[in-house]
C-alpha cells in the first residue's frame, strides 16, 4: 500500500476554491485526526504574504466557511501551526527554487494540489521538475480545467506525463468525492435488488440533471470561453453517466473501477454533424426572475455579444450489450429554477397489469438519486390506497426515502474535497480520473461541438428562472418522456 505523504503543497492557496473548500477540508481532516500527525502544509500563490500573514488569511477563511459548531479553537490553532506560505509566480523559475527550499526533502513523500489556469500548467510542471519537486515520492493532484478540447488536454497531459507518471497523477473531479456519488456504487454493487434490472431489459431511460440558479458569478473570463458543455458535461456529467452505466468491477480499487468507466465512455455513440441537431439543444438565458428576484440576461452580465451556451440538453446512447436502446438524457444550465444534481432512473412498466378495468393507473417504478443540495435516495413504488374499493381498487405512487443526513445522523457529512485531499495524501487513485477517461470524454464532446459549428447552431433563448428552451422539452417528448423537475 502507498505510504501517506508527510508534506502537502497547496497551489492557489489564496483563491476562492481554497477559502471555501480546501482550507476547511484540511482543517476538518486535521481536527478529526485523519491527517498524518506530522503532515506539513506549504501554501503558495502569487500574493505576497509571509507565514504570519497567510495564517491570518487562512484563519479568517476558516471562521467564515467552517460551521461554528465544528470550529474548535484548540484544533484551529494546531492546524494553523502546520501551515507555512511561499509566494510563487509560475512564470519565474527562481520562485520555484525558493519554494523547493521551503518544502525541503521529499524523501518521505510530497503531495501537490495544483489549481491553475491551463496556460500555466506547463510552466508550473517544468518549474517543479527543475526545482527537484517531482521525484519518486511526489504525486500531483490536478484541478480542472485541464484544457478546453482534446488537443489542449493532450498538450497538458503530455507536459504532466513528462514529469509525473500516471500512477502519481491524480486528476480531480470533485463530484467523485460526493457521498451520494460513491453511494451509487454501493447501491448498485452491494445489493442484489437492482442488478438484475440494471440493463435494457429493466430500465426505460435515464436522466441526469445538473442545474444552477446562478449566472456568471465572477467567472466571466472562464465561462464565456467554455460554455455549459465544457464546464459541466465533459467532466461531471459524463463521470456520473459512467458510474450509472459501468459493468461491475472485479474489485473496488483504482484500476478495476476506472477500467469499467472508460469502457462506458468509449461506448458512447458519437453525436456528429449529421445527428447533432436532432440529439442536442443549446440555449442562453435572458433576463428573468430566480428565487423571486429579477436577474439580468447572460449578455447583460457579460457586457458583449456571445454565442456561448449556458444550457445544453443531449440525448445520448451507449452502444453495448447492457444498454442497447436505452436513452440517457443529459441536461445542465445556469439560471434555472432550482439548484440540483440528480440521477433519475425510470424502470420499465410491468408486462401485464392485473388491475386493468378496475380504475387503477399504473406508473413505472422510478429511482431518484439526489446529489445536491440535499443528498437523498428515493424509490417510487405503486401501493394500494386504504379503502373498501367499492368503486374499484385505487393505487397510488408512494415514495420510499433514504435521507442520508437522517439515515446517518450520527456521522458527520464530509465536504467532497475532504475525501479527495485525504486520498491524494494517502495515494488512493480510485476516485480520480485517468488520462484515457479524460480523452474519451473530450473525443465525444469535441464531436458535438464540431457538429454545432458545422450546422451553425446558435443557442436558443430562454428566460432566466425557466427550465431552458422549449426545444429541450421536445427532445424528450418525442420519445414520450418528460423531464423530471
Amino acid at each position: 500500500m502507498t505510504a501517506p505523504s508527510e508534506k502537502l503543497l497547496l497551489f492557489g492557496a489564496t483563491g476562492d476554491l481554497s477559502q471555501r473548500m480546501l482550507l476547511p477540508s484540511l482543517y476538518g481532516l486535521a481536527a478529526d485526526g485523519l491527517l498524518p500527525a506530522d503532515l506539513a502544509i506549504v501554501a503558495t500563490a502569487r500574493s505576497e504574504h509571509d507565514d504570519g500573514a497567510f495564517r491570518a488569511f487562512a484563519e479568517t477563511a476558516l471562521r467564515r466557511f467552517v460551521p461554528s459548531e465544528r470550529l474548535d479553537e484548540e484544533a484551529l490553532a494546531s492546524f494553523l501551526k502546520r501551515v507555512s506560505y511561499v509566494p510563487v509566480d509560475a512564470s519565474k523559475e527562481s520562485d520555484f527554487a525558493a519554494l523547493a527550499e521551503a518544502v525541503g526533502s521529499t524523501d518521505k513523500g510530497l503531495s501537490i494540489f495544483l489549481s491553475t489556469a491551463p496556460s500555466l500548467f506547463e510552466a508550473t510542471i517544468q518549474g517543479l521538475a527543475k526545482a527537484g519537486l517531482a521525484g519518486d515520492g511526489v504525486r500531483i493532484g490536478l484541478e480542472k480545467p485541464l484544457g478546453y478540447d482534446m488537443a489542449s488536454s493532450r498538450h497538458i497531459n503530455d507536459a504532466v506525463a513528462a514529469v509525473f507518471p500516471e500512477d502519481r497523477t491524480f486528476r480531480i473531479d470533485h463530484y467523485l468525492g460526493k457521498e451520494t456519488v460513491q453511494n451509487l456504487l454501493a447501491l448498485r454493487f452491494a445489493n442484489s435488488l437492482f442488478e438484475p434490472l440494471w440493463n435494457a431489459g429493466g430500465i426505460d431511460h435515464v436522466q441526469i440533471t445538473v442545474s444552477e440558479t446562478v449566472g456568471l458569478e465572477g467567472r466571466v473570463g472562464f465561462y464565456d470561453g467554455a460554455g455549459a458543455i465544457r464546464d459541466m458535461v465533459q467532466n461531471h456529467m459524463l463521470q456520473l453517466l459512467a458510474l450509472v452505466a459501468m459493468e461491475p468491477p472485479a474489485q473496488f480499487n483504482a484500476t478495476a473501477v476506472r477500467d469499467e468507466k472508460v469502457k462506458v465512455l468509449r461506448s458512447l455513440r458519437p453525436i456528429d454533424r449529421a445527428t447533432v441537431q436532432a440529439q442536442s439543444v443549446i440555449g442562453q438565458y435572458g433576463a428573468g426572475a430566480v428565487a423571486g428576484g429579477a436577474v439580468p440576461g447572460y449578455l447583460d452580465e457579460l457586457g458583449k455579444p456571445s454565442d456561448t451556451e449556458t444550457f445544453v440538453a443531449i440525448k445520448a446512447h451507449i452502444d453495448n450489450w447492457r444498454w442497447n436502446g436505452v436513452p440517457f438524457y443529459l441536461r445542465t444550465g445556469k439560471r434555472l429554477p432550482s439548484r440540483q444534481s440528480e440521477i433519475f432512473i425510470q424502470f420499465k412498466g410491468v408486462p401485464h397489469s392485473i388491475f386493468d378495468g378496475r380504475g387503477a393507473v399504473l406508473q413505472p417504478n422510478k429511482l431518484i438519486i439526489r446529489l445536491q443540495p440535499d443528498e437523498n435516495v428515493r424509490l417510487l413504488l405503486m401501493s394500494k390506497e386504504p379503502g373498501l374499493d367499492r368503486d374499484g381498487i385505487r393505487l397510488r405512487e408512494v415514495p420510499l426515502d433514504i435521507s442520508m443526513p437522517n439515515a446517518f445522523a450520527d456521522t458527520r457529512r464530509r465536504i467532497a474535497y475532504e475525501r479527495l485531499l485525504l486520498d491524494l495524501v494517502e495515494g488512493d487513485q480510485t476516485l480520480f480520473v485517468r488520462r484515457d477517461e479524460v480523452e474519451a470524454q473530450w473525443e465525444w464532446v469535441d464531436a458535438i461541438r464540431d457538429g454545432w459549428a458545422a450546422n451553425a447552431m446558435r443557442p436558443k433563448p430562454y428566460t432566466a428562472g425557466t427550465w431552458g428552451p422549449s426545444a429541450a422539452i421536445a427532445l424528450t417528448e418525442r420519445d414520450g418522456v418528460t423531464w423530471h423537475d
Side-chain angles (χ1 to χ4, degrees), residues 202-479:
I203 290 178
D204 180 79
H205 71 273
V206 177
Q207 299 178 28
I208 301 176
T209 294
V210 178
S211 61
E212 299 180 281
T213 57
V214 298
L216 289 177
E217 300 292 301
R219 302 176 73 214
V220 175
F222 166 74
Y223 193 86
D224 196 55
I229 195 167
R230 289 188 282 195
D231 185 42
M232 281 290 183
V233 176
Q234 185 274 331
N235 40 76
H236 303 326
M237 298 189 77
L238 287 184
Q239 284 292 314
L240 293 179
L241 180 147
L243 291 172
V244 170
M246 66 191 281
E247 295 295 322
Q251 296 177 319
F252 185 69
N253 61 39
T255 299
V257 170
R258 298 192 297 180
D259 281 351
E260 297 304 336
K261 284 197 295 174
V262 80
K263 288 178 187 176
V264 172
L265 296 168
R266 286 174 175 164
S267 299
L268 280 167
R269 183 184 303 171
I271 298 176
D272 56 20
R273 296 179 178 187
T275 58
V276 72
Q277 294 186 84
Q279 293 183 237
S280 70
V281 174
I282 50 177
Q284 186 183 90
Y285 65 83
V290 176
V295 295
Y298 179 77
L299 299 184
D300 298 321
E301 288 186 86
L302 190 63
K304 63 179 182 180
S306 173
D307 283 338
T308 296
E309 82 284 354
T310 63
F311 174 96
V312 60
I314 298 171
K315 179 183 176 182
H317 286 91
I318 299 169
D319 287 333
N320 63 18
W321 190 295
R322 180 181 288 262
W323 297 109
N324 181 51
V326 179
F328 284 69
Y329 300 99
L330 313 180
R331 174 178 62 165
T332 185
K334 288 188 172 293
R335 293 295 192 204
L336 300 183
S338 63
R339 173 179 172 263
Q340 64 185 59
S341 296
E342 181 181 273
I343 300 166
F344 174 88
I345 297 163
Q346 181 165 307
F347 295 92
K348 291 185 175 178
V350 297
H352 170 71
S353 173
I354 67 171
F355 304 103
D356 283 350
R358 301 282 305 209
V361 178
L362 299 189
Q363 298 293 331
N365 300 137
K366 305 171 185 73
L367 179 65
I368 304 161
I369 303 167
R370 176 69 66 88
L371 311 179
Q372 64 182 24
D374 302 312
E375 294 179 330
N376 186 68
V377 178
R378 166 177 282 199
L379 180 62
L380 296 176
L381 304 171
M382 296 304 297
S383 180
K384 178 189 174 297
E385 287 189 18
L388 298 176
D389 308 321
R390 299 294 298 277
D391 298 319
I393 190 168
R394 295 181 183 274
L395 302 183
R396 179 189 297 176
E397 191 175 57
V398 296
L400 296 180
D401 280 319
I402 306 172
S403 171
M404 295 300 151
N406 292 340
F408 300 98
D410 57 341
T411 304
R412 184 169 72 79
R413 310 302 292 165
R414 297 280 179 182
I415 303 171
Y417 279 99
E418 288 185 68
R419 161 75 67 176
L420 297 174
L421 286 167
L422 185 60
D423 283 356
L424 172 63
V425 168
E426 294 184 342
D428 185 344
Q429 290 185 304
T430 305
L431 299 179
F432 295 84
V433 184
R434 207 165 58 191
R435 178 171 181 167
D436 52 356
E437 291 180 72
V438 174
E439 294 193 350
Q441 291 169 183
W442 275 123
E443 182 177 8
W444 193 70
V445 164
D446 280 359
I448 295 173
R449 295 182 59 249
D450 174 72
W452 291 347
N455 288 280
M457 286 178 62
R458 299 188 62 199
K460 300 178 184 297
Y462 65 96
T463 303
T466 66
W467 283 105
S470 58
I473 299 173
L475 180 71
T476 59
E477 289 194 341
R478 285 195 295 268
D479 303 327

Side-chain angles (χ1 to χ4, degrees), residues 135-210:
D136 290 342
V138 182
R139 44 186 170 257
I140 189 163
L142 304 173
E143 179 65 65
K144 74 159 193 161
L146 298 179
Y148 52 87
D149 58 13
M150 175 72 89
S152 59
S153 177
R154 280 180 171 164
H155 183 81
I156 289 173
N157 279 312
D158 286 345
V160 173
V163 176
F164 294 95
E166 186 66 29
D167 64 357
R168 291 195 279 117
T169 301
F170 292 63
R171 294 174 192 84
I172 294 165
D173 185 327
H174 74 268
Y175 263 54
L176 299 183
K178 292 180 179 292
E179 286 284 357
T180 320
V181 172
Q182 297 164 57
N183 201 42
L184 174 59
L185 296 178
L187 196 72
R188 286 195 58 192
F189 304 129
N191 300 285
S192 61
L193 177 66
F194 294 112
E195 183 57 27
L197 297 174
W198 208 268
N199 52 49
I203 290 178
D204 180 79
H205 71 273
V206 177
Q207 299 178 28
I208 301 176
T209 294
V210 178

Side-chain angles (χ1 to χ4, degrees), residues 9-16 18 42-50 54 57 84-90 95 99 113-116 120:
L9 176 55
L10 192 66
F11 277 82
T14 59
D16 184 68
S18 176
V42 180
T44 183
R46 296 184 66 174
S47 305
E48 291 291 337
H49 290 306
D50 58 18
F54 181 76
F57 171 89
S84 60
Y85 181 87
V86 181
V88 170
D89 182 338
D95 283 6
L99 180 63
F113 181 97
L114 180 57
S115 175
T116 188
L120 294 176

